[in-house]
Amino acid sequence: MPSTLSSLAFLINRSIITLEKACSESKLPFPGFDEPFTPASEAFRANPEAEEAAKVIAAAAHQLMMMVLPPSVALYTVVSGAHKSAALRVCLEANVTEILREGGKEGMHVKEIAERTKVNHQKLARCLRYLATHHVYKEVSPDVFTNNRVSSMMDTGKAVDDLIARPEEKHENTPGLAAVASHHLDEVYKAAGYLWESMSDPATAHSFESNETPFNLGFSVNTSFFETIALPDPRWQLRQRRFNVGMKGVTVLESADAVLKAFDWQSLPKDSVVVDVGGGIGSSSLILAKNLPDIKIVIQDTPIVLTEGATQFWARELPEALASGRVSFQVHDFFTPQPIKNASVFLLKQIMHDWPDKYAIKILSQLRQAARPDTRLIIIESAIPFACHDPSGDKGKGVIGAVPKEAPEPLLANYGVANELTYTADVTMLILTNAQERTVKDMKELLHSTGWQMTKIVRDHETGSFMQPVEAVPMVKIPVRDTAE
């Protein structure tokens, strides 16, 4: 029997051959690491074999690294996560990526970078060098740095002079990934330091209330995360704006047509009503509106989200949809009775993971009360797989797509770090809201308790999506439940 080391090396070598062959056949070269990111550079992932090979390489390489490092060093690759986050936040907030982009491919000396950022060049050099050691930025010569493929993901695309002159507008009208990164490096990072305190304090250890979280301890507030960022305080208003843009940035982490694959939208009759519940500014609905001109879309969210974000977003991206009335906004609290009674589809994209079961039950119950017999519920979330083989899998005999594809041995069944985004999201929800990403079993039980029957899970293995849309239909009999509880 080959050793684990040999097996991992074999998987890596075989997958590299597969990846390079797929790129060669499609005439899509594998992107250079020292070049900035462009959407076109990710085109190779559209090839299912290339995408699978890339996941296997990443999972195997990380597992191999953790095996061959001294255990103490391997441990500290995790312990030092806070240091990486702190250094990365310095560079993101100081606009280092944009400064280096304007500086050119040859790079800039750290003194020049620091002069524009108004920070100490010696301290900045240490942050940059630490990140370059982890392949974020590149030190091309002593104290001279440049962007690479990873650091370029934080580029807002704006001129540095504009960022310095109007820092509060840094993330406005940007793709949004820098905004969501800034959110994680600010609110999430600071709150994460209180996870142990929250879990060990008898007053909060077993609480799943959305205002008894590490976030509440870290920021000394009594309101939930979403209530807090909506406060009329300049500090939180800026965070609210950044968060709204960041939620658009999450779409960058998904394939552009992810929402189109979540359901057979073409099966809907003309003038069918799709309700985007808690839809934010409507990023997902925009994709639907562009591809499905014969359906009507209602985007529901809070007044501040719709008036300050959604209106401008749609006026810029697809004004015709608003003018014609096929897309409309509706202020709605999804804990209260759902006003739309003729919906063909209720769409909830990354909503349920924000709420503990107690509140998720209220949301789903209100939708079930408003549903027609033929209404479909589409929940786009991450379905958390185990890090081991699941012997309880139904072999495809139950709900379509319930059983995830497992990685080849000796890899972790969930592909390890290649699927890290799912687990990052799960712990983020724990830290901010006491909520969670759910396993298939969790979601099935949650739906059943509110009168919904899970019928399908869409697993887009071809694009390596970290979201697995769930489709559900109304059960004939609605469980008796007091939604006001």
Side-chain angles (χ1 to χ4, degrees):
M1 292 291 290
S3 68
T4 301
L5 291 176
S6 297
S7 296
L8 291 171
F10 171 77
L11 285 175
I12 292 172
N13 288 331
R14 184 181 67 179
S15 297
I16 288 175
I17 293 171
T18 300
L19 180 57
E20 291 183 336
K21 179 181 178 183
C23 290
S24 175
E25 290 177 349
S26 59
K27 297 182 180 180
L28 298 170
F30 192 79
F33 194 62
D34 293 336
E35 295 299 317
F37 163 84
T38 63
S41 69
E42 287 289 283
F44 75 94
R45 297 189 194 278
N47 183 315
E49 291 185 353
E51 170 62 23
E52 173 68 12
K55 287 178 62 176
V56 170
I57 292 168
H62 184 263
Q63 187 169 330
L64 190 62
M65 179 192 79
M66 295 298 279
M67 287 181 63
V68 300
L69 283 174
S72 57
V73 178
L75 174 64
Y76 261 79
T77 64
V78 180
V79 171
S80 61
H83 295 58
K84 298 180 183 73
S85 295
L88 191 63
R89 186 178 183 225
V90 167
C91 294
L92 192 153
E93 301 300 341
N95 308 314
V96 169
T97 294
E98 290 88 353
I99 291 171
L100 290 176
R101 183 237 302 151
E102 291 187 359
K105 293 183 178 181
E106 294 75 20
M108 292 180 66
H109 195 279
V110 70
K111 288 184 178 180
E112 297 179 79
I113 305 170
E115 185 176 350
R116 298 208 69 183
T117 65
K118 307 302 180 186
V119 300
N120 182 276
H121 76 274
Q122 293 173 315
K123 294 180 180 180
L124 181 60
R126 291 157 67 184
C127 291
L128 276 166
R129 187 167 296 114
Y130 184 43
L131 292 172
T133 301
H134 292 279
H135 305 288
V136 182
Y137 300 108
K138 181 179 181 179
E139 189 168 16
V140 294
S141 60
D143 286 324
V144 176
F145 295 88
T146 188
N147 280 320
N148 64 5
R149 183 171 171 78
V150 178
S151 66
S152 71
M153 296 300 297
M154 296 185 292
D155 193 347
T156 60
K158 294 187 175 183
V160 176
D161 287 343
D162 291 340
L163 293 173
I164 294 173
R166 293 177 292 278
E168 72 282 357
E169 297 180 8
K170 174 171 182 170
H171 300 292
E172 304 298 326
N173 301 317
T174 67
L177 189 57
V180 75
S182 181
H183 156 67
H184 276 97
L185 295 169
D186 181 6
E187 297 100 293
V188 180
Y189 171 67
K190 293 172 183 175
Y194 291 85
L195 180 58
W196 168 243
E197 285 74 10
S198 177
M199 291 180 64
S200 61
D201 186 340
T204 55
H206 301 287
S207 172
F208 285 95
E209 292 298 327
S210 56
N211 65 340
E212 295 179 347
T213 69
F215 169 79
N216 293 106
L217 289 177
F219 286 89
S220 299
V221 294
N222 296 318
T223 49
S224 71
F225 169 73
F226 291 107
E227 291 171 330
T228 302
I229 62 173
L231 291 173
D233 179 310
R235 295 172 302 169
W236 292 111
Q237 288 175 333
L238 286 174
R239 285 181 167 121
Q240 170 86 71
R241 289 168 61 183
R242 180 180 64 188
F243 181 80
N244 290 342
V245 176
M247 291 306 96
K248 183 180 71 169
V250 172
T251 61
V252 177
L253 303 175
E254 278 285 283
S255 61
D257 60 350
V259 70
L260 296 177
K261 295 180 179 180
F263 176 67
D264 182 11
W265 299 104
Q266 299 296 339
S267 67
L268 296 177
K270 184 178 180 180
D271 294 328
S272 292
V273 177
V274 174
V275 183
D276 192 352
V277 183
I281 62 175
S283 300
S284 297
S285 287
L286 176 66
I287 298 172
L288 294 179
K290 287 181 175 180
N291 288 274
L292 303 164
D294 292 332
I295 67 170
K296 296 181 178 179
I297 301 172
V298 180
I299 302 170
Q300 296 178 334
D301 214 295
T302 61
I304 188 171
V305 171
L306 296 178
T307 57
E308 294 189 8
T311 301
Q312 296 92 322
F313 174 70
W314 283 84
R316 180 178 69 253
E317 298 291 339
L318 198 64
E320 171 276 326
L322 289 182
S324 66
R326 63 187 185 94
V327 173
S328 60
F329 305 142
Q330 184 178 57
V331 173
H332 175 58
D333 176 353
F334 46 46
F335 294 120
T336 63
Q338 169 60 235
I340 306 295
K341 308 297 184 183
N342 65 333
S344 294
V345 176
F346 287 125
L347 173 64
L348 294 92
K349 186 171 187 291
Q350 291 187 287
I351 299 297
M352 304 310 298
H353 74 161
D354 289 332
W355 300 98
D357 285 354
K358 173 182 176 180
Y359 298 95
I361 286 171
K362 292 183 179 181
I363 297 171
L364 294 175
S365 295
Q366 297 292 3
L367 296 179
R368 178 61 187 90
Q369 292 288 344
R372 306 181 312 197
D374 62 345
T375 297
R376 293 295 180 267
L377 175 68
I378 305 299
I379 300 175
I380 303 180
E381 305 260 332
S382 294
I384 288 280
F386 298 105
C388 62
H389 170 67
D390 181 9
S392 66
D394 62 7
K395 307 299 182 183
K397 297 178 182 177
V399 175
I400 298 172
V403 181
K405 179 180 180 180
E406 293 186 353
E409 294 184 348
L411 301 180
L412 295 175
N414 64 353
Y415 288 86
V417 296
N419 278 339
E420 185 169 358
L421 281 176
T422 298
Y423 302 91
T424 299
D426 186 34
V427 178
T428 297
M429 294 304 102
L430 171 61
I431 290 167
L432 292 185
T433 66
N434 255 336
Q436 67 184 102
E437 306 292 341
R438 294 175 171 87
T439 64
V440 172
K441 180 176 180 290
D442 292 334
M443 184 62 76
K444 186 175 182 180
E445 291 176 351
L446 183 65
L447 288 166
H448 191 273
S449 71
T450 55
W452 294 97
Q453 179 179 349
M454 181 188 295
T455 57
K456 184 179 181 181
I457 298 178
V458 178
R459 295 189 181 274
D460 187 8
H461 298 299
E462 293 185 359
T463 60
S465 175
F466 70 96
M467 294 186 191
Q468 294 77 41
V470 172
E471 182 177 335
V473 299
M475 293 167 56
V476 176
K477 185 176 181 181
I478 303 177
V480 177
R481 183 181 296 278
D482 182 1
T483 58
E485 291 181 356

